[in-house]
Amino acid sequence: MYRRIIKRGLDFAVLALTAPFALTIVLVVGAAVWWKMGLPVFFRQTRVGRDERLFDLVKFRTMSEVRGGDGELLPEERRLTRFGRFLRAASVDEVPTLWNVLRGDMTLIGPRPLLVGYLRHYNATQRRRHEVNPGITGWAQVNGRNAISWEQKFSYDVWYVDNVSFWLDARIVALTIAKVLRRTDISPPGIETMPPFTGSGDERR
């Protein structure tokens, strides 16, 4: 019952309470992104949701469109701007994702929605992370975020699926606020962005 009806109602309640603040951030930060990086202001990318349905995730753009001599985009760590790094560190780049919560693509608390290309690499246990709606923050994010391995993240995601409750979500909210204020676990040690997931070697399980 909590997973579908009450959880959705709580999402709407939080969205209604935070709407003026969120809209202000969208206008101010959107103008800053336009000023520093130009258009487009928003970054859209297809992600995987509940039951492996696809949807377009919306965030603030944090990377430039700089290309090399061959015309191809440079690696992400070279395109991540100083301003974009700040947006990620403060988690401000996630504010437009509230639109996905309003649409029902996502919820506030749940496993992070990941790239479509990762689907072919999951094993049967890891795929269970799609049994619930993806979230803006989740159990994996407050237990290491990008400072832990993909396998650890998926283990936390599946644990959340099996233990989701109002009190667990409330705990994740409190821990998320602490993480954002401390700006910890933003990226893996020694690199700017999380390397892509290429499988755990047990995809047939």
Side-chain angles (χ1 to χ4, degrees):
M1 179 70 72
Y2 172 73
R3 294 190 183 196
R4 301 302 295 267
I5 300 176
I6 299 177
K7 195 171 174 68
R8 185 64 174 152
L10 289 173
D11 283 345
F12 275 119
V14 172
L15 289 174
L17 289 172
T18 60
F21 180 62
L23 287 173
T24 300
I25 290 179
V26 167
L27 292 174
V28 173
V29 176
V33 171
W34 173 77
W35 176 260
K36 289 183 172 293
M37 290 186 281
L39 298 175
V41 169
F42 299 108
F43 169 77
R44 297 174 184 272
Q45 189 176 59
T46 302
R47 298 291 178 95
V48 183
R50 186 188 182 103
D51 299 326
E52 299 184 5
R53 292 193 298 267
L54 306 185
F55 69 95
D56 289 332
L57 179 77
V58 183
K59 300 172 68 173
F60 280 123
R61 187 158 71 96
T62 58
M63 293 189 290
S64 70
E65 298 296 318
V66 177
R67 298 176 183 270
D70 57 0
E72 296 294 323
L73 288 171
L74 294 177
E76 290 188 356
E77 60 270 16
R78 295 184 61 183
R79 292 189 293 120
L80 182 61
T81 66
R82 183 176 181 181
F83 182 59
R85 192 176 294 112
F86 164 75
L87 293 181
R88 290 189 181 188
S91 295
V92 176
D93 63 318
E94 303 278 0
V95 173
T97 308
L98 292 173
W99 170 248
N100 292 114
V101 177
L102 181 63
R103 282 172 45 89
D105 302 322
M106 295 176 60
T107 183
L108 293 173
I109 312 296
R112 286 290 298 169
L114 300 177
L115 299 175
V116 178
Y118 292 177
L119 278 172
R120 66 180 182 272
H121 297 305
Y122 295 135
N123 61 36
T125 300
Q126 292 168 345
R127 295 183 86 100
R128 293 194 57 228
R129 67 192 306 277
H130 299 122
E131 292 178 10
V132 298
N133 277 346
I136 294 179
T137 185
W139 190 234
Q141 280 62 54
V142 299
N143 281 285
R145 196 176 176 181
N146 290 328
I148 58 177
S149 69
W150 283 112
E151 287 75 15
Q152 289 174 300
K153 285 187 180 186
F154 297 148
S155 178
Y156 283 128
D157 288 342
V158 174
W159 185 90
Y160 175 83
V161 170
D162 290 332
N163 295 275
V164 58
S165 69
F166 171 80
W167 297 112
L168 177 58
D169 280 1
R171 182 181 179 189
I172 291 172
V173 169
L175 291 172
T176 297
I177 293 172
K179 286 278 186 180
V180 170
L181 292 176
R182 292 199 299 265
R183 300 185 184 181
T184 57
D185 304 329
I186 296 166
S187 59
I191 57 177
E192 290 285 356
T193 58
M194 189 75 180
F197 176 62
T198 56
S200 304
D202 55 357
E203 288 81 356
R204 294 185 178 183
R205 279 182 13 190

